[in-house]
């Protein structure tokens, strides 16, 4: 009998029950707001120790490399990236080098980045270079009058510590996540004007 009385008290549709339910909900919302405010005002955690210095190659395919500064957007991205990022040039093309220490979805296809910048992706295919390395390449095209270069040839690949390589970031991710590929990995993206 006491359960029936409790059910009638808690779930009856009377003015006092509605007020009580709304008051409990308001109290829960207030507690959530106070907790969120306390979290926001809490001193920030000590920033993570910087990752170990990564020495980038001094040359690429026999041509000396010169480092380029990362943009503000690239610097923010690099702070969250599980590894190191560098932009370099050999005088003919730009290279984006990423050392990846663990499997991550933050390493995504270059075509996605170029699409986000407003480029059309055309002529995507696999190609071998003079050293017989396999690359995934595409043409990135933009309309004239843009501030960014209008027509680029972009190629990318990911090399594992054991010498194996990937041209597809999804294939790399699943191989790395399942332990079939061991890191660290080096992702290389090249871009040159057409």
């Amino acid at each position: 009998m006491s359960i029936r009385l409790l059910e009638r008290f808690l779930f009856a549709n009377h003015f006092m029950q509605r007020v009580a339910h709304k008051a409990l909900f308001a109290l829960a919302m207030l507690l959530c707001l106070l907790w969120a405010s306390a979290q926001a005002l809490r001193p920030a955690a000590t920033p993570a120790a910087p990752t170990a210095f990564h020495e980038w190659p001094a040359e690429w395919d026999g041509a000396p490399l010169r480092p380029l500064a990362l943009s503000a957007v690239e610097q923010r991205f690099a702070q969250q990236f599980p590894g190191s990022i560098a932009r370099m040039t050999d005088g003919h093309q730009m290279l984006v080098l990423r050392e990846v220490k663990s499997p991550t979805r933050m390493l995504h296809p270059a075509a996605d980045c170029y699409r986000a910048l407003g480029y059309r992706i055309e002529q995507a295919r696999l190609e071998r270079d003079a050293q017989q390395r396999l690359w995934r390449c595409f043409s990135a095209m933009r309309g004239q009058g843009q501030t960014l270069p209008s027509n680029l040839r972009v190629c990318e690949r990911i090399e594992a510590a054991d010498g194996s390589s990937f041209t597809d970031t999804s294939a790399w991710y699943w191989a790395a996540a399942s332990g079939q590929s061991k890191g660290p990995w080096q992702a290389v993206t090249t871009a040159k004007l057409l």
Side-chain angles (χ1 to χ4, degrees), residues 31-95:
L31 289 174
C32 289
L33 181 64
L34 290 174
W35 182 78
S37 297
Q39 293 297 317
L41 296 174
R42 182 176 74 179
T46 307
T51 57
F53 175 75
H54 181 75
E55 187 171 343
W56 299 105
E59 62 178 42
W60 181 259
D61 293 340
L65 288 176
R66 184 173 44 93
L68 300 171
L70 295 176
S71 71
V73 171
E74 290 169 326
Q75 287 177 3
R76 283 194 302 275
F77 182 79
Q79 290 174 347
Q80 304 300 318
F81 190 75
S84 304
I85 301 175
R87 271 192 335 145
M88 302 188 159
T89 183
D90 64 2
H92 301 289
Q93 62 186 347
M94 183 187 62
L95 291 92

Side-chain angles (χ1 to χ4, degrees), residues 22-169:
K22 289 178 182 178
L24 286 173
F25 180 74
L27 179 63
M29 293 298 291
L30 181 62
L31 289 174
C32 289
L33 181 64
L34 290 174
W35 182 78
S37 297
Q39 293 297 317
L41 296 174
R42 182 176 74 179
T46 307
T51 57
F53 175 75
H54 181 75
E55 187 171 343
W56 299 105
E59 62 178 42
W60 181 259
D61 293 340
L65 288 176
R66 184 173 44 93
L68 300 171
L70 295 176
S71 71
V73 171
E74 290 169 326
Q75 287 177 3
R76 283 194 302 275
F77 182 79
Q79 290 174 347
Q80 304 300 318
F81 190 75
S84 304
I85 301 175
R87 271 192 335 145
M88 302 188 159
T89 183
D90 64 2
H92 301 289
Q93 62 186 347
M94 183 187 62
L95 291 92
V96 177
L97 305 173
R98 291 161 288 179
E99 183 209 31
V100 186
K101 295 181 179 173
S102 62
T104 178
R105 286 296 191 179
M106 292 181 76
L107 182 63
H108 49 273
D112 292 353
C113 293
Y114 281 90
R115 278 190 195 99
L117 291 170
Y119 285 89
R120 281 185 336 274
I121 305 304
E122 298 177 356
Q123 303 171 359
R125 63 179 174 257
L126 297 177
E127 296 178 6
R128 290 206 181 268
D129 64 10
Q131 290 76 25
Q132 295 303 304
R133 296 175 296 202
L134 190 61
W135 296 80
R136 178 174 300 277
C137 299
F138 59 88
S139 296
M141 313 299 276
R142 271 184 91 111
Q144 298 299 331
Q146 303 289 329
T147 56
L148 294 172
S150 58
N151 299 328
L152 297 170
R153 186 69 180 156
V154 179
C155 296
E156 64 184 331
R157 64 182 273 126
I158 304 166
E159 298 174 2
D162 65 4
S164 62
S165 65
F166 299 87
T167 58
D168 179 70
T169 54

